[in-house]
Amino acid sequence: MIRALVLEHSPVRRAVFLGMLPSDQFEVRFPRSDEDWGAAFREFGAHVVLVWQEEPARFAATCARLRAQPGADVAALVLVTRRRAGELRAQALEAGADGLLALPAGVPEAREEIDAAMRARLGAGAAGGRTARPLPQAPSHDAGATAPAAAELPAPAAGGRSWAEFRAQVRRLYATLDHTTHYEILGVAATAPPHEITRAFHDAAIAYHPDRFVQLSDAQDRRMIHEIFKRMSKAFSVLTDPRQRAVYDASFAGPPTWPDMPTREMPAYSPVLAAPKGAAPPAEAAATTRTPQGRKFLEMAERSMQHGKLRAARLQLAIAMQWEPGNQVMQERIREVERRILENPESD
Amino acid sequence: MGRAVGIDLGTSYSSVAAMIEGKPVVLGDAEGVLAHPSIVYFPEEGEPLVGVRAAEEMASDPAHGVASAKRLIGQKFDSPAVRVATASAAYAIREAPNGFPILTVRGRDYAVPQISAMILGHLKEVAERRLGETIESAVVTVPANFTDPQRESTRQAARIAGLEVMRLVSEPTAAALAFGYGKEADEYLSVYDFGGGTFDVTLLHLSGRVFHVLATGGDSFLGGDDFDAALASYAAEQFRRETGVDVRTRAVEWQRLLFVAEKAKRALSTKKAINVRLHEVAHLPTGPTDLRFGITRDQFNVLGMDLVQRSFDICDTVLTDARLNVAALQGLVLVGGCTNIPLVRQAAEHYFGRTARSGISPEYAVAVGAAIQAAALSAPAPKSASAPPSSLLLDVVPKSVGIATAGGFVEPIIRRGTPIPAQESRVYSTSRDGQTQIRIQIHQGEGLRIDENVLLGEFVVDGLPAAPAGWIDVEVIFEIDTNGLLNVTARDLRSGKLCSGQVHVGAELDEAQVAQHAARHRELRGGRK
């Protein structure tokens, strides 16, 4: 099993990657934020990173950005492009990539290019005096490959967990409920077939179904468990309906980007133009936003935080993040809100 | 907390079961009767009779008893169920100010939940006598396609009888619990429940101790009573041809004929042919005349074929809902008294392409399943997350819940078959300047138009700040919790604050009436001891 990370936000392109990387040979993840990338390199232990890049001029910048992530230097880097790859290969290798994959490509081509890139990285690592990640041999890595996903998610009936541990787990899940994906809440891979989702849902029900906690005296615990299981139940019904699952997969990547449009940085939003008449001067944080909607919701969130309306703030920040997934200020705020909610779960 | 029992409140028969030393047991009364007729008889003096004694009285004096009260519970006066009852029942039915029917027997008025409460009270007594302890909570079964008003009225009936309903469980689901309990199988199962008054079918996925309902459906106007009526009609038609007297227009004689027809139907399950005689049905110029008729099983099968066919239309829908075909099912469980009829059994086995599983008694499976769920709900909270429960039921929303939209249509919000607990939300904006209130009508049912569905109530979001049209966005959250109850809350998206709002559900009785009837019920019971 080869663990692959893919830098891609467009659902259409993600589908192309999933087609090239079948789930029996690859475990694929699509990290979203810089933080996700950091975590992915630390915990996931990627063998290869794939990036779809149509602009040869930007090869170098992309490679440098990815290599800058701690832990990234042991993974092979493969650029994916629709252009004539033969001509660009030299350019890609010079930029720091280990391979270049030309589209359209089937599973064998992709596998060959990725294997070559991993070997190349192994060689480069040896030459540079670093230890590259050893290549996976047989499917013996399977257990290790799925472990990171399972460790942070409910592993319900497994092992004799104590009540205190279970309660702590409930609190953790409850605090992060708003931005846990349907896949994460059930602890399944994004490529999981329906029967696996059903099994995961049954395991989740054994651990979290509110019927098991009817006689629990702590009303707050009961409510948290109820909310958590409601999300699990929702996740199950969405992911086992092929139509709903397709819609969901396409939506949770954030605002979709049109496949072949050059992505352009939005100019910084000018607060002078947008400030409504008589409004207070914009807060410092709002100046870091790039979209009017992002700014609006960030401002709302800040007001909510000042008034101690933490849940409202979290909702507003989540909406703001939809518009600007990479905004550092928003990420900081959401962490702060989460921390405050965790400290005081009964807050508004 | 004390022990909780499981109650199968049937249209024609009811039973009660409890877990005794880890095993579900159907509880009998002093004479060992396990299936209690769901009949209440009001004698000239003294308190109402319930069960076997009521059935005996009812046979000779049908005008002062109420049978099949379940068909009327939670139904409005102008609903088809009540119209049918008004036409055929020997007691008077009139409309209460809140639109629900009121029955008048021996000059006293009763709301339908009061009648059901008498049956539930009788079952409670049976259980208390058998178990030697006070019973205060129960799991009660209802047909899969009961609407919320019907469920709410059933809850009220239980409250009047002094029972707290821990959960209302669908009858076929309860039967599946009884069937799969302790087996830890992994298979897809269909439960075909043809009872006295209702037909239900449920598809489940049994996986270890998890009972996962995939889809459920039913018809509350299809049951054993319809077989009785078909048979009685057949006899009445013959009698009319011979004598010119139509028994169907005479309430008392018609009730007597139905009673005989039910016996004939049961006999035909074991005999090939039967002769029936009903004394002094009509007074002709030649003197009192008896009604006699003979019928063979084949003739009976012809009469019943339509009814059986109607059940398969529902099975088709349920299979489609579950995205399964018949070949994917590994087991068929038959439940309900009607599945003793050879025609029904054979047709069901033919439809599902396999022989029915044996091992549970079709009459008591529902009560047993309810007892299992009652035990699961009254089990103490797990002390460690690793201790698995002995059974876990994953239920679904039995009927879609939607909101009224412009033009008299209903937009479904939570569709039937969604696993519960379920939550959906919609965002609404104000449409007029200065609008401070948003009204949302909530309907239940599968119809596209408002008049094809049941109105559950109206949700009013109040206290919105006055603003130009379209400025205020309100997110309305519809939640169906594990009890199958609908909760609606609203949130102003701008401020993130919860708006005040409430659902005004048209319940059959109000709180004060329930309390008053409950007090009266306690008084009656106290006087008997």
Side-chain angles (χ1 to χ4, degrees), chain A residues 58-333:
Chain A
R58 297 171 81 173
F59 280 2
T62 311
C63 291
R65 221 182 98 207
L66 276 166
R67 288 284 183 227
Q69 291 282 350
D73 51 352
V74 293
L77 180 60
V78 175
L79 291 170
V80 180
T81 183
R82 237 182 234 161
R83 296 175 183 240
R84 277 157 299 169
E87 294 169 17
L88 298 175
R89 180 170 287 273
Q91 208 175 339
L93 292 184
E94 197 183 313
D98 300 297
L100 190 76
L101 178 61
L103 293 174
V107 177
E109 291 91 2
R111 182 71 205 236
E112 195 183 313
E113 187 58 44
I114 288 169
D115 284 351
M118 289 198 299
R119 277 196 299 278
R121 173 70 3 202
L122 206 61
R130 290 183 309 243
T131 29
R133 189 179 305 284
L135 292 186
Q137 300 298 325
S140 63
H141 274 75
D142 280 8
T146 50
E152 58 198 281
L153 293 164
R161 282 191 304 160
S162 73
W163 177 245
E165 281 170 41
F166 177 74
R167 257 188 93 179
Q169 171 80 47
V170 164
R171 261 140 225 276
R172 252 196 318 278
L173 274 175
Y174 182 73
T176 55
L177 214 50
D178 279 354
H179 48 90
T180 307
T181 67
H182 287 346
Y183 295 103
E184 285 163 352
I185 194 100
L186 288 178
V188 294
T191 51
H195 67 89
E196 258 175 44
I197 291 168
T198 306
R199 197 177 333 130
F201 179 55
H202 288 174
D203 288 349
I206 289 275
Y208 293 101
H209 197 288
D211 277 2
R212 296 197 63 201
F213 304 98
V214 175
Q215 306 298 338
L216 194 64
S217 51
D218 189 333
Q220 192 190 333
D221 281 0
R222 274 209 312 271
R223 194 171 57 81
M224 286 186 184
I225 291 169
H226 191 260
E227 290 298 318
I228 291 170
F229 189 71
K230 212 158 65 182
R231 272 296 310 276
M232 291 172 163
S233 164
K234 174 82 183 166
F236 168 78
S237 58
V238 169
L239 297 185
T240 47
D241 180 337
R243 204 169 46 86
Q244 285 191 55
R245 186 174 178 176
V247 172
Y248 178 72
D249 284 351
S251 73
F252 87 107
T257 52
W258 195 253
D260 281 324
M261 283 267 259
T263 44
R264 204 174 294 140
E265 292 284 295
M266 292 278 284
Y269 187 73
S270 160
V272 182
L273 279 177
K277 273 175 238 160
E284 209 176 296
T288 67
T289 56
R290 299 195 314 273
T291 59
Q293 292 291 346
R295 176 165 174 275
K296 185 174 108 187
F297 281 98
L298 181 61
E299 282 174 352
M300 276 159 67
E302 299 225 305
R303 273 198 298 279
S304 303
M305 280 169 74
Q306 280 164 12
H307 289 100
K309 308 271 185 205
L310 296 179
R311 283 178 202 283
R314 186 168 63 172
L315 183 72
Q316 287 150 348
L317 281 168
I319 297 170
M321 296 273 290
Q322 290 280 313
W323 294 95
E324 295 178 37
N327 189 309
Q328 293 288 342
V329 176
M330 292 178 190
Q331 286 172 5
E332 235 166 70
R333 292 285 187 280

Side-chain angles (χ1 to χ4, degrees), chain A residues 13-72:
Chain A
R13 288 183 172 191
R14 282 183 174 192
V16 173
F17 278 107
L18 289 174
M20 288 193 304
L21 313 174
S23 62
D24 57 336
Q25 295 176 28
F26 293 91
E27 194 188 347
V28 185
R29 282 201 183 180
F30 299 94
R32 289 180 66 178
S33 60
D34 284 355
E35 197 185 335
D36 276 2
W37 277 96
F41 280 119
R42 268 196 317 280
E43 292 156 19
F44 184 56
H47 295 109
V48 62
V49 179
L50 294 114
V51 183
W52 189 326
Q53 183 58 269
E54 290 290 352
E55 293 289 324
R58 297 171 81 173
F59 280 2
T62 311
C63 291
R65 221 182 98 207
L66 276 166
R67 288 284 183 227
Q69 291 282 350

Side-chain angles (χ1 to χ4, degrees), chain B residues 94-118:
Chain B
R94 64 180 169 79
E95 189 174 357
N98 62 2
F100 286 97
I102 292 277
L103 317 184
T104 310
V105 191
R106 286 208 198 272
R108 281 195 74 122
D109 288 350
Y110 299 94
V112 184
Q114 280 181 276
I115 306 285
S116 295
M118 290 172 193

Side-chain angles (χ1 to χ4, degrees), chain B residues 35 213 264 303 324 335 353 363 392 412:
Chain B
V213 179
L303 293 175
L324 287 175
V335 191
E363 286 95 339
L392 183 72

